[in-house]
Amino acid sequence: NAGVTQTPKFQVLKTGQSMTLQCAQDMNHEYMSWYRQDPGMGLRLIHYSVGAGITDQGEVPNGYNVSRSTTEDFPLRLLSAAPSQTSVYFCASSPTSPIGGYTFGSGTRLTVV
Amino acid sequence: AQSVTQPDIHITVSEGASLELRCNYSYGATPYLFWYVQSPGQGLQLLLKYFSGDTLVQGIKGFEAEFKRSQSSFNLRKPSVHWSDAAEYFCAVGARAAGNKLTFGGGTRVLVKP
């Protein structure tokens, strides 16, 4: 079982560049989320989706876009990268709700210079 | 709004010794509580969760946690630590009234001395 797959694992961007972080799950989970992890701040919710075609903002959505065209995929787009977006990004999925417990991907470490 | 505090940023423990990680939450009603573990370079893995009922919850890898409503705490314990327990541990709180979204604490990094 692949679980939650994130690509790439590492990325360096220049300020102003755009990119897409990929997330795919093969567990037929309805609920998917994107978090960023910064030292001492735990994980903060960027965007989430309760099912295909439905997305919503989390705690820190500015500078990021998402879409959910299929159950399996939930890409995160950085529109114009800024140094403040340097972070580790995690995608997570759950059958219907995070209350049931998340399955996390292994993360993408992004550096914006 | 719900919030979670993990007062200890780092804890160092000797292999074989007991471990207790503190977690305090703020929420008006009974929350759903979680502990996750993150090994170096990995994503988070669910250790255990509390919804209701017995306030002592058993999890994977020999961990347990106790919910104490009067202290708004959900501390994680392990009687005897193994070197493989070196990791970062995150407490999280969720609630249906908050749309089931989870709020994570800042994490506690555990170092295990031989």
Side-chain angles (χ1 to χ4, degrees):
Chain A
N1 289 336
V4 178
T5 303
Q6 289 185 240
T7 56
K9 291 191 181 301
F10 303 94
Q11 184 71 49
V12 178
L13 286 180
K14 294 182 179 179
T15 297
Q17 286 185 317
S18 63
M19 80 159 294
T20 300
L21 279 62
Q22 301 292 344
C23 175
Q25 53 91 8
D26 61 358
M27 298 171 286
N28 202 31
H29 286 176
E30 292 295 326
Y31 199 106
M32 297 185 74
S33 301
W34 276 102
Y35 287 89
R36 60 178 289 173
Q37 182 182 28
D38 302 293
M41 303 185 72
L43 279 75
R44 292 181 292 168
L45 182 64
I46 304 171
H47 285 285
Y48 66 98
S49 169
V50 300
I54 305 169
T55 64
D56 206 346
Q57 296 181 351
E59 181 183 357
V60 288
N62 293 341
Y64 307 95
N65 274 354
V66 292
S67 60
R68 185 96 180 269
S69 57
T70 67
T71 298
E72 294 78 18
D73 299 301
F74 191 43
L76 177 72
R77 298 183 191 83
L78 279 70
L79 308 174
S80 176
S84 61
Q85 293 179 304
T86 294
S87 187
V88 181
Y89 291 84
F90 286 100
C91 179
S93 72
S94 182
T96 55
S97 159
I99 298 300
Y102 272 128
T103 299
F104 279 85
S106 58
T108 294
R109 183 174 294 275
L110 176 68
T111 302
V112 182
V113 298
Chain B
Q2 59 201 36
S3 66
V4 180
T5 301
Q6 294 180 244
D8 304 304
I9 297 175
H10 293 100
I11 285 181
T12 300
V13 60
S14 296
E15 192 168 13
S18 64
L19 174 68
E20 181 167 10
L21 304 182
R22 296 184 290 165
C23 172
N24 295 102
Y25 69 89
S26 174
Y27 185 67
T30 299
Y32 304 119
L33 295 161
F34 306 81
W35 275 100
Y36 283 84
V37 60
Q38 184 182 28
S39 298
Q42 301 296 316
L44 282 71
Q45 180 184 20
L46 180 65
L47 281 176
L48 49 79
K49 58 188 178 184
Y50 172 78
F51 287 176
S52 64
D54 192 347
T55 56
L56 186 62
V57 180
Q58 301 298 321
I60 62 171
K61 304 187 181 201
F63 284 92
E64 66 178 24
E66 186 171 14
F67 171 59
K68 292 186 177 180
R69 183 189 304 276
S70 61
Q71 299 177 17
S72 297
S73 69
F74 188 57
N75 294 350
L76 182 71
R77 298 193 294 253
K78 185 168 185 177
S80 178
V81 169
H82 187 262
W83 64 266
S84 60
D85 293 322
E88 190 157 19
Y89 294 79
F90 292 92
C91 183
V93 62
R96 292 197 187 280
N100 289 340
K101 293 190 287 290
L102 297 192
T103 298
F104 286 84
T108 298
R109 185 170 297 279
V110 173
L111 304 176
V112 180
K113 296 189 302 184

